[in-house]
Amino acid sequence: MKQPHLIVLFGATGDLARRKLLPGLMHLVESHLVGDARILGVSTHDYSDEEFREFALQACKEFSTRPVRTDVWESFAQKLSFISLGQGAEALEQKAAGLEAQLGEDARRLHYLSVPPKAALDVVHLIDEAHLVERSRIVMEKPFGTDVTSARSLNAAIHEVFDEEQIFRIDHFLGKESALNILAFRFANGLFEPIWNRNFIDHVEIDIPETLSVEGRAGFYEGTGAFKDMVVTHLFQVLAFMAMEPPTSLDSDSISEEKNKVFRSMKPLVAEEVVRGQYEGYREEEGVDPDSQTETFVALKAEIDNWRWAGVPFYLRTGKRMAEGARIISIAFNEPPKSMFPEGSGVGRSGPDHLTFDLADASRMSLSFYGKRPGPGMTLDKLSMQFAMQETGRSGDVLEAYERLIHDAMLGERTLFTTAEGIERLWEVSQPLLDDPPPVQSYPQGSWGPEAALELVAPRRWRLPFERRWRG
């Protein structure tokens, strides 16, 4: 992608910019995955260009996953500029015009809104006032609305300034190499796609436990909770990749349409099939209401009412301060209808065969199955075949999630982004739960959540914690 770009980074001195965006942009520029670029930082700070460059240098040194070479930094630093938000639209327009003069007439614009949701519309209007909408795309962070009404209102307000084709609603979970590997695994292999349906699959689990607490984000989290923060914006998006029909081609419009078909087929959530939890000690966190009913854990059953998935439950779970941090998708296959193996052979002892995707940075897959234990008799053990990205010798080519998504947005590639229709439909599905949520149940820190989450999946069970570890 060689077209020059002006990248306007709103919230340029915030935590996300420091940890992910600035190091990611440096790598994209260094690796020549993008053409000539100028990066204009915008925030409430009153930095000079040099002060912003020093801020960016410290961010890259602290958080870049790759060494910061002097020659690379010096080249990148010259592409960085800054303007304070307080200077207004006219100053922003003039600063942008000066940078675009260095790039040429065919330069495009990418606006990245790394700002709180309540500030997003103000930034959109600022971009409009600065006459920076033309030739531009805009990247927006979650959450995109808090219910169906607010999502529709937000979409309508943004559409007054930007066309839908210009809007990229980001989900960093889908930027991971392992998420795209789901598409490759499903649609490039004749072995698996024929059995990717209700005739062969018993249930699917999408499990994203976290060991972290709210970490000083109580002000944000109190108004959001685990469901709005994680399920609507992350887990449902992963579900769509797992459940979608084969697209007619790999272009982003075709893939987005198949994802939206999944969302249209989802049944509204039922409060009786949702477990909300809150870790012990959450109400003592700074900024948390002593009587807070905000959930830090949620487990639920989702159903897709179409030909492929009718009757197959999708179990989703996520929470803070849990026993382990992980990001897995686990597909449980139907067990044989009848066993000829003798009692005590071990068959069935470890549950059904599973295909497991690890969405963490390691990007691993595992297929578990029963096999005979060497020696006399017929004793069976659960075995597994595993694949890890590190084994390919290409792990160094992996882009971090934000790097991939910024690159895709610059290209106009929408596969990993959510449409207005998709996000509104997910809030529609969620509205019955938002209107009448079940009470929160307390759970110990370092556990797997409330006991009711085990009852939700019974007689099945959660795949995590694993009985066998990933191969090192």
Side-chain angles (χ1 to χ4, degrees):
M1 196 269 298
K2 299 301 182 184
Q3 192 167 30
H5 269 77
L6 171 65
I7 302 169
V8 187
L9 178 54
F10 294 91
T13 56
D15 191 60
L16 178 62
R18 192 166 61 98
R19 291 174 176 270
K20 295 293 184 181
L21 305 181
L22 289 167
L25 286 168
M26 184 180 69
H27 178 246
L28 289 175
V29 170
E30 170 200 0
S31 58
H32 304 292
L33 286 170
V34 301
D36 195 11
R38 298 293 182 273
I39 298 150
L40 177 56
V42 185
S43 83
T44 55
H45 284 75
D46 192 18
Y47 283 169
S48 65
D49 289 352
E50 283 305 319
E51 287 171 328
F52 179 57
R53 288 167 186 165
E54 180 60 30
F55 172 86
L57 174 59
Q58 296 308 315
C60 291
K61 283 183 175 179
E62 185 173 357
F63 294 108
S64 177
T65 58
R66 307 168 181 91
V68 181
R69 302 200 322 262
T70 301
D71 59 327
V72 170
W73 168 253
E74 290 176 350
S75 174
F76 181 64
Q78 296 308 307
K79 302 178 184 298
L80 296 175
S81 302
F82 186 85
I83 186 169
S84 173
L85 196 62
Q87 295 185 50
E90 186 176 349
L92 174 61
E93 181 179 6
Q94 291 175 357
K95 188 89 170 185
L99 296 173
E100 288 182 343
Q102 303 172 27
L103 295 170
E105 294 181 356
D106 63 339
R108 292 198 60 87
R109 299 158 178 161
L110 182 74
H111 304 295
Y112 197 115
L113 273 59
S114 178
V115 299
K118 62 183 179 182
L121 274 183
D122 289 338
V123 174
V124 168
H125 293 142
L126 176 66
I127 294 169
D128 191 23
E129 292 171 20
H131 303 105
L132 295 175
V133 175
E134 188 180 356
R135 308 192 316 278
S136 74
R137 299 183 177 108
I138 181 170
V139 179
M140 304 192 70
E141 283 283 341
K142 71 173 182 75
F144 207 84
T146 56
D147 55 23
V148 64
T149 301
S150 62
R152 286 172 178 164
S153 176
L154 182 57
N155 279 328
I158 295 172
H159 287 157
E160 291 177 1
V161 179
F162 289 95
D163 294 334
E164 177 64 20
E165 291 71 25
Q166 294 177 279
I167 304 168
F168 291 74
R169 300 167 187 82
I170 198 167
D171 174 14
H172 69 270
F173 268 55
L174 293 187
K176 295 182 177 296
E177 193 78 29
S178 47
L180 284 172
N181 221 354
I182 296 171
L183 296 183
F185 189 87
R186 283 192 59 190
F187 301 130
N189 298 296
L191 178 61
F192 289 100
E193 181 55 26
I195 61 172
W196 210 264
N197 56 59
R198 59 188 172 83
N199 295 321
F200 298 93
I201 292 177
D202 179 78
H203 67 279
V204 177
E205 294 178 11
I206 302 174
D207 210 352
I208 317 287
E210 299 179 293
T211 58
L212 304 174
S213 68
V214 293
E215 291 191 314
R217 298 169 64 232
F220 162 79
Y221 208 81
E222 269 291 272
T224 307
F227 180 78
K228 294 178 181 178
D229 184 42
M230 291 290 292
V231 177
V232 177
T233 52
H234 291 325
L235 276 67
F236 280 162
Q237 303 299 325
V238 174
L239 181 152
F241 267 156
M242 291 299 302
M244 63 188 277
E245 295 295 325
T248 53
S249 70
L250 278 181
D251 67 87
S252 54
D253 287 343
S254 298
I255 292 175
S256 293
E257 173 59 19
E258 295 306 331
K259 287 169 60 182
N260 285 340
K261 286 180 182 177
V262 173
F263 299 147
R264 291 176 209 143
S265 300
M266 287 178 65
K267 292 183 177 181
L269 298 180
V270 178
E272 290 75 17
E273 295 176 340
V274 178
V275 177
R276 297 169 69 239
Q278 187 184 89
Y279 65 77
E280 295 173 356
Y282 172 75
R283 294 177 182 177
E284 282 73 58
E285 300 264 7
E286 185 177 352
V288 173
D289 184 337
D291 299 316
S292 174
Q293 295 298 307
T294 299
E295 79 280 356
T296 62
F297 169 98
V298 63
L300 61 88
K301 175 184 174 183
E303 295 182 89
I304 302 171
D305 193 19
N306 64 16
W307 191 273
R308 182 184 290 260
W309 295 112
V312 177
F314 285 71
Y315 296 111
L316 281 56
R317 179 174 68 169
T318 186
K320 301 284 189 185
R321 298 297 295 154
M322 295 184 69
E324 293 179 22
R327 299 171 180 175
I328 74 153
I329 306 168
S330 188
I331 297 97
F333 293 97
N334 291 327
E335 297 190 67
K338 183 174 175 61
S339 174
M340 75 289 290
F341 293 94
E343 186 175 350
S345 65
V347 67
R349 181 177 56 198
S350 300
D353 300 338
H354 283 86
L355 175 64
T356 303
F357 294 88
D358 185 354
L359 297 185
D361 294 333
S363 189
R364 297 174 293 199
M365 291 187 295
S366 171
L367 178 64
S368 71
F369 53 91
Y370 286 102
K372 182 185 177 300
R373 181 186 300 175
M378 182 58 77
T379 303
L380 305 182
D381 288 325
K382 209 62 183 271
L383 309 173
S384 69
M385 294 188 293
Q386 295 189 13
F387 158 84
M389 182 63 68
Q390 284 77 357
E391 297 173 356
T392 68
R394 302 296 298 271
S395 58
D397 296 342
V398 173
L399 289 178
E400 293 202 353
Y402 281 100
E403 295 171 357
R404 176 185 299 281
L405 292 167
I406 291 171
H407 183 250
D408 281 1
M410 294 171 76
L411 283 171
E413 171 55 60
R414 306 174 58 82
T415 297
L416 301 178
F417 297 87
T418 309
T419 65
E421 177 191 342
I423 199 69
E424 289 177 17
R425 173 56 185 165
L426 289 176
W427 284 120
E428 284 180 8
V429 169
S430 306
Q431 200 61 47
L433 174 63
L434 301 178
D435 291 340
D436 185 25
V440 293
Q441 303 178 41
S442 180
Y443 64 95
Q445 296 189 33
S447 72
W448 287 101
E451 288 293 319
L454 302 178
E455 300 169 9
L456 176 71
V457 300
R460 306 173 178 94
R461 58 179 178 171
W462 292 102
R463 180 79 163 138
L464 284 173
F466 287 130
E467 293 179 351
R468 296 173 308 284
R469 310 312 301 170
W470 288 101
R471 186 174 68 236

